[in-house]
Amino acid sequence: MRCKILTLLLFLATAAFLAGTVTAVPGTDGVTRSAPADPVPGAEFDVKLTISGERPLVVGIVETIPEGFDFVSTSHTPDQYDVSGQKIVFAVINETEILYRVKASSSGLDTFTGTWIDMLSQKEGSIAGTGGIEEGSTPTPTPTPTPATTPTPEVPGFETFFTALTLVIAGLFVVLLRNKEEGGRVERGTYYLIYW
Amino acid sequence: MVLIGSTVPLTVMPAIATGIPGDDDGNDNITEKELAGNILTYMLGEGDLSLDELRDAAHVYAYWNGVPRTIVDTAERTVTIYKPVKKIVVLSSDGARALRILGDEDKVVGISETIKRHPYYFPEMSQKKSVGTWKEVDWEEIVSLEPDLLITYATGSINADLAAEKLDPFGITVVGLYFYVTDEYEQIFDELEKLAILLEKEEAAEKYLKWHDEYEARVHDFIAGKEKPNVFMTYTGGSIGKIMEIASYGPGAIDYTLCEKAGGRPITEDFSTKYPKVSAEWVLTENPDIIILKSGDVFGGWDNETEPADLIAQMMVGKNWDDINATENNKIYAVPWSITNGLEHIYGEVLLAKICQPELDIDPTEVYKEFLEDFLRVEYPEGKVLVYPLLAT
């Protein structure tokens, strides 16, 4: 029994290690948005975008501010942002933070959305969820439609598959161990195949 | 397959302009401003660059300091890469081995028949599309594969100049590299380093060169001050028993150089030509301590001992060499042709050193095994005869 527990722990540790290994890829890990939870209607407030990852970093960002909100300014390099309607686009080169200022609508609360594309890897994602201005919101790792060509998200796809596979194998392993201990009808050959 | 003659223009594909994607002013330097501008227009759904092109531009900016990568190939052509190489056509097995050493075989989309015939050494590459032979290729097929880079020999039927003439209009870069030694050993190292620059594989090239240099230094240090045996090196295509004019290597020939590096004294040292023909009587007079017979039609060793044994037996026919030192001391060896000229030539050097100086504490087979398993990443083929008769380890 002790041997089996040790084996299980070793197996799960190996799976965790392997899962961790495949996530260690270059490029941006994600972009998060920080902003006041309840901006005063009609008042200006700052929005901070934080780009995580190690340099070199080259990322494209599209922020879409709600109807009725107005872009005011940004501390970002002048030729590395542009504004078109409710869209604010940023080119982020070796920077990890963007601060921009907007003026809230008269009603205050509304939805900010945003997407990012890492130009040095195949990764891309969403910046924040919907339903209001969220403080420290986390990115959604799933790829989103891009303005032009949509690339094949190689790494995230593999990562997801691998993680799912690891969990399935771990689950099967635990079930088989339990069956064995409970006198379940586990074929010896099958048992060893999964066991080691 | 329709083979196109050199006078027929390729019209199946549109010509493609070269240059760094996003280098708006075309000065071969993508600046932060240019990159940012292209990112902004792309993110707004405007602009001319695709996401792939934009990523290439970002790569060049971030990792190449914003400028293209340039080398001078062995055909003395300036070769410039403006974006990361993602697809390669390689027309020689020597080039294919270089790609495996650099770890870029997964980028290969097209090969020559020579590579297709060697699935053992090129398990993945040999499955790729064949675009022809060493002397005739289907240019349209190459263009249709849309490679970024074509690797061919500097000279020969499909030389780099000819290939460039055909493929430059389609934005396909051609590089002429041999990856076998034709003149100086430095050449093969330079070629590997140059390809590594184009493919951003400098670390892999460095690893190979370090491995090579370490063995070479051990051989060099060991043979220093040792008495040098007299060595006669010859080669055959299989008819050596029928002729009395025997081919050999003189000063300046690669095999001659290798023999010296391995601690032997070539008996042809007084010749003034690289490839002198000598008589059996002359060899008899020189009385070599060792004879090395290279076979010209063997790739990576023999499958049995019979073939190299037969080659040696054929060589001995009618030559009256029974009383020379090499015969009396059983120091006549057959070796595969590729061991002295290819990227594995350090195996050849260690092997010759072991033959000339048997006390050398290096097992040549281990060197070859390391070459295959650590650099070509194929399993060592047990049972291959890489020298006959086998050396005592």
Side-chain angles (χ1 to χ4, degrees):
Chain A
M1 179 61 189
R2 186 180 168 190
C3 178
K4 287 172 187 170
I5 291 171
L6 284 173
T7 305
L8 174 62
L9 288 173
L10 187 61
F11 179 87
L12 292 174
T14 305
F17 172 77
L18 288 173
T21 302
V22 296
T23 58
V25 291
T28 314
D29 298 326
V31 180
T32 56
R33 180 190 301 110
S34 300
D38 48 354
V40 178
E44 293 183 5
F45 62 94
D46 288 333
V47 178
K48 187 171 84 174
L49 300 176
T50 304
I51 301 98
S52 58
E54 291 186 11
R55 294 185 183 191
L57 285 173
V58 181
V59 184
I61 291 175
V62 182
E63 277 277 83
T64 304
I65 60 175
E67 288 295 330
F69 281 56
D70 294 319
F71 172 78
V72 177
S73 64
T74 177
S75 57
H76 200 55
T77 309
D79 55 12
Q80 296 185 10
Y81 77 91
D82 199 357
V83 181
S84 176
Q86 296 310 104
K87 286 184 179 176
I88 314 164
V89 293
F90 297 98
V92 184
I93 300 174
N94 290 328
E95 290 184 70
T96 55
E97 194 175 289
I98 294 173
L99 207 61
Y100 68 94
R101 194 164 180 79
V102 293
K103 184 180 179 185
S105 67
S106 55
S107 61
L109 283 175
D110 212 329
T111 303
F112 275 53
T113 58
T115 59
W116 56 270
I117 300 176
D118 187 333
M119 301 298 171
L120 294 176
S121 74
Q122 298 293 311
K123 290 190 280 188
E124 56 189 273
S126 298
I127 295 175
T130 57
I133 302 167
E134 297 174 350
E135 180 103 11
S137 54
T138 53
T140 306
T142 50
T144 55
T146 55
T149 312
T150 303
T152 306
E154 296 174 358
V155 174
F158 175 70
E159 186 181 311
T160 306
F161 169 77
F162 193 91
T163 305
L165 184 66
T166 303
L167 290 172
V168 169
I169 292 173
L172 280 172
F173 181 79
V174 171
V175 169
L176 284 169
L177 269 183
R178 186 175 295 168
N179 283 350
K180 178 72 179 176
E181 285 167 10
E182 293 170 356
R185 286 177 293 182
V186 179
E187 293 290 335
R188 188 174 180 80
T190 308
Y191 177 76
Y192 275 113
L193 179 67
I194 303 298
Y195 188 72
W196 222 204
Chain B
M1 183 165 64
V2 179
L3 297 173
I4 301 170
S6 60
T7 57
V8 179
L10 289 168
T11 56
V12 291
M13 301 282 285
I16 299 169
T18 53
I20 304 170
D23 176 21
D24 298 332
D25 59 10
N27 70 345
D28 286 349
N29 182 0
I30 183 162
T31 61
E32 183 171 312
K33 187 175 180 180
E34 286 172 323
L35 178 61
N38 279 289
I39 290 173
L40 294 178
T41 53
Y42 178 82
M43 298 305 287
L44 284 171
E46 303 165 358
D48 298 326
L49 296 187
S50 68
L51 183 55
D52 280 346
E53 289 170 323
L54 197 53
R55 283 183 161 136
D56 286 343
H59 188 97
V60 172
Y61 174 81
Y63 297 114
W64 299 6
N65 205 25
V67 295
R69 294 194 154 207
T70 299
I71 61 145
V72 175
D73 70 7
T74 309
E76 300 194 350
R77 301 164 53 257
T78 299
V79 177
T80 303
I81 294 288
Y82 295 95
K83 59 182 183 177
V85 173
K86 294 168 190 159
K87 295 201 277 185
I88 301 170
V89 169
V90 56
L91 298 181
S92 74
S93 59
D94 299 290
R97 290 200 288 180
L99 284 174
R100 282 194 73 84
I101 288 173
L102 296 179
D104 251 1
E105 67 269 20
D106 58 335
K107 291 180 180 169
V108 173
V109 294
I111 57 169
S112 65
E113 284 296 315
T114 316
I115 298 165
K116 204 165 198 66
R117 283 201 301 270
H118 292 105
Y120 183 85
Y121 293 95
F122 313 113
E124 303 90 6
M125 260 191 269
S126 60
Q127 305 304 311
K128 302 296 181 183
K129 182 77 180 173
S130 173
V131 296
T133 66
W134 62 275
K135 60 179 181 179
E136 208 168 26
V137 296
D138 185 338
W139 297 108
E140 285 190 5
E141 185 71 58
I142 292 173
V143 171
S144 73
L145 292 171
E146 299 182 357
D148 303 303
L149 183 70
L150 176 125
I151 303 170
T152 188
Y153 287 135
T155 58
S157 299
I158 312 298
N159 61 70
D161 284 328
L162 173 67
E165 183 188 321
K166 297 287 186 188
L167 302 177
D168 273 356
F170 302 97
I172 300 169
T173 304
V174 172
V175 62
L177 301 167
Y178 292 111
F179 293 112
Y180 67 85
V181 186
T182 59
D183 192 13
E184 298 286 337
Y185 275 103
E186 278 305 315
Q187 174 196 306
I188 204 167
F189 307 137
D190 286 348
E191 289 187 331
L192 194 67
E193 287 177 324
K194 285 173 177 175
L195 186 62
I197 289 170
L198 297 181
L199 301 178
E200 304 174 74
K201 292 288 183 178
E202 290 92 335
E203 279 184 23
E206 195 177 320
K207 181 187 169 193
Y208 167 83
L209 295 174
K210 184 169 180 283
W211 170 78
H212 169 278
D213 291 350
E214 283 176 359
Y215 274 120
E216 185 155 88
R218 284 177 66 184
V219 169
H220 180 267
D221 292 348
F222 185 83
I223 65 172
K226 298 265 191 318
E227 189 178 344
K228 296 179 176 179
N230 294 324
V231 180
F232 177 60
M233 292 188 76
T234 184
Y235 56 94
T236 178
S239 59
I240 196 166
K242 299 170 187 169
I243 55 173
M244 289 296 120
E245 269 202 326
I246 306 164
S248 189
Y249 302 97
I254 281 303
D255 297 77
Y256 182 98
T257 304
L258 196 73
C259 181
E260 284 190 319
K261 284 160 69 127
R265 186 190 76 83
I267 62 173
T268 49
E269 63 183 0
D270 292 331
F271 283 83
S272 58
T273 55
K274 275 188 179 181
Y275 305 102
K277 295 284 179 67
V278 300
S279 67
E281 291 75 19
W282 181 83
V283 175
L284 185 63
T285 307
E286 290 294 316
N287 192 19
D289 301 304
I290 295 165
I291 294 176
I292 304 292
L293 170 62
K294 281 177 61 179
S295 173
D297 56 357
V298 176
F299 186 91
W302 293 277
D303 293 327
N304 55 66
E305 294 190 349
T306 309
E307 289 178 59
D310 285 348
L311 282 173
I312 291 175
Q314 287 173 35
M315 179 180 71
M316 299 299 283
V317 172
K319 299 205 174 49
N320 294 321
W321 287 354
D322 291 348
D323 295 329
I324 62 176
N325 287 345
T327 311
E328 289 186 341
N329 298 326
N330 293 319
K331 292 271 191 177
I332 300 175
Y333 297 94
V335 298
W337 181 277
S338 61
I339 69 162
T340 57
N341 294 64
L343 283 157
E344 74 271 49
H345 70 264
I346 190 62
Y347 161 72
E349 185 174 331
V350 171
L351 178 66
L352 289 186
K354 188 78 175 173
I355 290 172
C356 292
Q357 310 289 346
E359 310 82 27
L360 176 68
D361 187 24
I362 308 176
D363 179 357
T365 305
E366 284 301 311
V367 177
Y368 193 70
K369 197 170 185 176
E370 286 174 14
F371 174 73
L372 287 183
E373 296 185 348
D374 295 352
F375 296 100
L376 293 193
R377 283 165 283 114
V378 296
E379 200 175 332
Y380 176 75
E382 296 293 345
K384 278 279 182 186
V385 179
L386 297 161
V387 56
Y388 177 86
L390 290 176
L391 304 184
T393 55

